[in-house]
Amino acid sequence: LDTSGNAHDLDDSSQPQAMRAARMALGMCGILTRVQLPVTPEFHLRRRRWRVDDMDAFLDQQLPQLKQQYDRFHWYLHPETSSSWPMYWEPATAEESAAEGRTCRTAAEQWEDAQEKEFGVDGLPLIMRWDNCSDISSRSLTHAVDMEQQPLWNGEYYVSLGDAGEAHATREILKGFQAVAESRGLAKPSKHLWLHVRYVGGDTSSLLNPCYGHATCAAFELALTAPAMDAMLPPWEEWAAYYGAMEKVLRGLNGRPHHAKYYTPEAPSQPGFGLPVGQFMQVCKQFDPQRLLRNERFDAVFQAGTGAEASGAAVAM
């Protein structure tokens, strides 16, 4: 519905620009009353994760190979021990999944187990409670529940780097972490500090592009976790110091902070998810000519970023 109460049916073929604006509407392009979503049948995945204690061998040799071999690939680094934890998913048939006999824990099972003890049966802290399992996709991906539920400070930076650049950036970040630890009177960084790196693709034309104009990028995500599900968060000052050390390195490599997420299995051949800011605002004017859905904060942030001039006063909601 537009702000005059008129209904509009949008689709990619008849109104592609309006559809692109609607996908990233931010509440500024009218009111969505009905959405038709594509549905993909459930599929099976095999998940694998293991520990690598030779960080140099991982960064210089294994990392480039694993990135080439697996589409769904993440890795964790534990600064206190300098150990790395590669993790990937790969497709599996239902028969292959059943033959392995390693079903994934459900979200409820993960939660119940997390209430009982700080570490899982494999000795990993809660943020790394990944099962090596083979199951249907909805179960294979419930590992995220542990991280979502555990109290933690968390922040993320996107940066476009090659393999050599990733290794260099990681080593510089670790130097920064060590300096923070020593400034706090510690021999090593906190054992509850984890660096998570994953790989994403984004629409290079979109306001919501996570890679800020690049087709693909590495997402460096830093977490300082509570020691248990019912424990207090670590001090904010401690988190800010570690995050600042990572930020200093990645800003120097033209990295940008996370502001929104859009995932694809590979970089899209043609842009199409969202719109650049200027076009987005023009399309939204068709649905909200009186600017009833805009506010002063929106104008200040987005117009300042594009150099656009306000046409009339915004109405604060």
Side-chain angles (χ1 to χ4, degrees):
L1 292 175
D2 62 27
T3 51
S4 297
N6 301 312
H8 301 264
D9 290 327
L10 308 180
D11 60 57
D12 284 317
S13 59
S14 64
Q15 300 188 64
Q17 294 293 88
M19 275 293 290
R20 292 178 68 181
R23 287 193 178 101
M24 52 179 285
L26 303 176
M28 302 295 165
C29 287
I31 301 171
L32 300 179
T33 60
R34 183 178 62 184
V35 177
Q36 183 176 351
L37 297 174
V39 177
T40 301
E42 282 198 313
F43 52 93
H44 284 70
L45 290 173
R46 283 189 286 219
R47 186 166 69 237
R48 296 290 182 267
R49 114 18 220 113
W50 64 99
R51 177 171 178 162
V52 180
D53 288 322
D54 188 337
M55 185 185 69
D56 291 331
F58 171 73
L59 291 174
D60 298 330
Q61 301 169 25
Q62 296 186 31
L63 177 58
Q65 296 174 0
L66 290 166
K67 284 179 59 182
Q68 292 293 323
Q69 189 172 358
Y70 299 106
D71 292 331
R72 301 175 179 89
F73 178 66
H74 302 230
W75 55 277
Y76 279 76
L77 193 144
H78 190 220
E80 187 206 26
T81 60
S82 296
S83 58
S84 303
W85 300 84
M87 182 179 71
Y88 67 86
W89 296 271
E90 63 180 359
T93 66
E95 292 75 18
E96 290 171 337
S97 177
E100 288 203 351
R102 296 193 296 179
T103 58
C104 300
R105 291 182 300 167
T106 65
E109 289 168 340
Q110 292 183 61
W111 172 258
E112 291 171 359
D113 191 29
Q115 298 305 300
E116 297 177 1
K117 49 188 174 295
E118 176 180 348
F119 295 96
V121 294
D122 51 9
L124 289 174
L126 296 181
I127 196 172
M128 283 295 294
R129 293 284 293 283
W130 315 111
D131 285 330
N132 280 352
C133 63
S134 187
D135 217 327
I136 56 176
S137 55
S138 60
R139 289 180 177 244
S140 296
L141 299 178
T142 57
H143 63 270
V145 172
D146 276 343
M147 184 174 177
E148 290 170 355
Q149 298 294 341
Q150 186 178 13
L152 56 84
W153 297 116
N154 188 56
E156 190 167 24
Y157 251 76
Y158 291 111
V159 62
S160 179
L161 294 171
D163 297 325
E166 290 169 80
H168 170 72
T170 302
R171 291 185 172 106
E172 292 300 309
I173 289 170
L174 290 177
K175 290 179 183 177
F177 290 166
Q178 182 62 32
V180 170
E182 292 175 0
S183 72
R184 301 179 65 86
L186 302 173
K188 294 182 178 181
S190 168
K191 70 175 183 179
H192 301 300
L193 189 71
W194 289 88
L195 180 65
H196 173 209
V197 181
R198 57 191 176 86
Y199 302 94
V200 295
D203 181 340
T204 55
S205 75
S206 173
L207 170 66
L208 299 185
N209 173 25
C211 300
Y212 290 87
H214 297 285
T216 58
C217 58
F220 282 72
E221 184 177 19
L222 187 66
L224 183 62
T225 71
M229 298 292 271
D230 57 354
M232 296 293 293
L233 279 168
W236 165 258
E237 294 77 13
E238 181 182 7
W239 152 251
Y242 284 120
Y243 188 78
M246 182 182 80
E247 182 178 50
K248 181 178 180 181
V249 173
L250 296 182
R251 272 196 178 276
L253 297 170
N254 299 315
R256 301 286 297 277
H258 163 93
H259 70 169
K261 295 181 180 180
Y262 174 60
Y263 300 97
T264 62
E266 58 186 14
S269 57
Q270 294 182 347
F273 176 71
L275 291 172
V277 177
Q279 294 180 37
F280 168 71
M281 296 173 70
Q282 287 298 317
V283 173
C284 285
K285 286 177 64 176
Q286 302 172 26
F287 300 98
D288 181 23
Q290 296 84 23
R291 299 173 51 152
L292 298 177
L293 299 177
R294 296 256 297 275
N295 56 58
E296 294 173 349
R297 177 61 178 168
F298 178 89
D299 288 341
V301 171
F302 289 100
Q303 289 178 346
T306 60
E309 294 183 0
S311 56
V315 177
M317 302 296 285

